[in-house]
Amino acid sequence: MNFSLRILFTIPILFVLAACSNDEGGEDSLLNDAEIDEGYYINYNGGESENANMRTSEFIEYDSETDYSLTRPAYVSYYNEEDFLKTNLYVDNMPVLIEAVSDATHVRLSYNQNNEDAIIFTDEVLEGAETGHESVPEDEAEAEAAGSANGEESSEDTSSEGFDFDSVEGETVLDTSEFTDQDLFMYQGINEEGAFTQMDNVATTRGIAYDSDSRYAVNQSADIAYYSDSEFLEIHSVDDEGYIENVPDANFINITYNLDDMNDLVMIEENQTD
């Protein structure tokens, strides 16, 4: 079997953080007075995840009674003084109003280097900016994670009692046997709105090329989020091993699965027959 891992490491969900930076802006950004570090971003657990293309600000004073606008995709991490509270990812419908977090006194922003000359983070409401993040309470996130592991949220049963993954003939397009935590978004899943959300005991792959004219099988339970470029389309679950849902408009996917199986997940693109 020809193993050709086709994970788009240069365009994970972080790929949307690399939007064009050729428009005007930056003059009024609160980032202008902040020290900027290179080589990592703040993840959903408040830790530093290495990524050579990312830039992260130091602490910026924040007032939850004030509206803040953001003009480029970024992670926004909230703190009470230096105590980490949460991280939100904003990727769509720019400019966007970030979530108001009442206990926060400071924020840090993480964004792609391609945006550093264009990103604006301001304590003003920019024209057209609307709230762009829907917060998921921790207990709901845990429930989603448990549902993913047990296949409880499957919108359609894509597996069958008679399915035999080992009998699928085709090209292996994902093999996690040598994955480390640098290859995955650790403790992060994708909710029903397509937003990355902190979840216990799961990990999510980076972007994987997807061809709706092909048929794909995975060897264990997983949630598959489908995208058309940066636009989230829908999410489906596979209970145990089975074929994943076909979504005609999608061109890449992210797969969320149980961390206990970190090095066991395999996906095969089945050989097409005439």
Side-chain angles (χ1 to χ4, degrees):
M1 186 175 289
N2 180 22
F3 290 84
S4 60
L5 187 62
R6 295 191 300 178
I7 298 182
L8 308 182
F9 287 104
T10 58
I11 54 168
I13 195 65
L14 292 179
F15 89 103
V16 292
L17 301 180
C20 299
S21 58
N22 58 359
D23 57 355
E24 299 178 1
E27 295 87 351
D28 300 323
S29 178
L30 297 173
L31 291 165
N32 291 345
D33 296 325
E35 292 187 12
I36 307 297
D37 293 334
E38 301 181 358
Y40 68 91
Y41 65 96
I42 305 299
N43 61 35
Y44 287 85
N45 294 322
E48 298 179 358
S49 292
E50 293 183 7
N51 188 302
N53 297 319
M54 296 297 287
R55 303 290 182 261
T56 297
S57 75
E58 288 301 309
F59 292 94
I60 298 172
E61 289 188 1
Y62 168 84
D63 178 4
S64 63
E65 299 297 321
T66 299
D67 290 321
Y68 292 82
S69 299
L70 180 66
T71 65
R72 284 292 183 272
Y75 290 94
V76 179
S77 301
Y78 297 83
Y79 297 80
N80 184 303
E81 300 302 336
E82 295 186 358
D83 294 331
F84 173 75
L85 298 176
K86 64 185 299 185
T87 292
N88 288 346
L89 173 61
Y90 299 90
V91 296
D92 294 322
N93 303 320
M94 298 294 158
V96 66
L97 292 178
I98 70 169
E99 179 187 1
V101 177
S102 60
D103 293 337
T105 61
H106 295 79
V107 294
R108 298 180 70 185
L109 271 67
S110 302
Y111 51 90
N112 191 280
Q113 63 181 352
N114 293 339
N115 285 324
E116 57 188 341
D117 293 331
I119 189 170
I120 296 175
F121 179 60
T122 179
D123 54 358
E124 299 177 359
V125 180
L126 297 179
E127 182 178 358
E130 297 180 357
T131 303
H133 176 87
E134 184 170 346
S135 179
V136 178
E138 185 176 354
D139 55 350
E140 291 184 20
E142 292 177 355
E144 287 183 8
S148 300
N150 297 322
E152 294 173 359
E153 294 186 355
S154 175
S155 61
E156 183 172 337
D157 186 5
T158 54
S159 60
S160 66
E161 293 181 1
F163 183 84
D164 181 8
F165 180 82
D166 292 333
S167 69
V168 178
E169 295 183 358
E171 180 182 4
T172 299
V173 294
L174 173 66
D175 183 348
T176 63
S177 59
E178 296 184 0
F179 269 23
T180 69
D181 59 4
Q182 298 301 310
D183 302 314
L184 296 164
F185 294 102
M186 304 292 288
Y187 305 104
Q188 298 176 38
I190 299 174
N191 66 22
E192 293 295 330
E193 286 74 40
F196 271 67
T197 304
Q198 180 176 337
M199 296 183 183
D200 293 337
N201 303 321
V202 301
T204 298
T205 66
R206 299 173 188 271
I208 303 171
Y210 172 82
D211 181 358
S212 61
D213 292 329
S214 296
R215 197 178 189 193
Y216 298 85
V218 292
N219 67 334
Q220 60 182 266
S221 61
D223 285 349
I224 297 90
Y226 297 78
Y227 297 81
S228 175
D229 296 326
S230 62
E231 179 184 0
F232 172 73
L233 299 176
E234 52 197 85
I235 190 167
H236 295 282
S237 297
V238 175
D239 185 6
D240 201 18
E241 58 184 24
Y243 290 105
I244 72 172
E245 187 80 13
N246 179 270
V247 177
D249 294 331
N251 58 16
F252 85 92
I253 59 177
N254 291 95
I255 302 178
T256 299
Y257 66 107
N258 197 296
L259 262 179
D260 293 339
D261 304 317
M262 175 175 169
N263 299 115
D264 300 326
L265 178 65
V266 176
M267 182 169 74
I268 292 177
E269 181 179 2
E270 189 174 53
N271 288 334
Q272 299 186 43
T273 57
D274 297 331

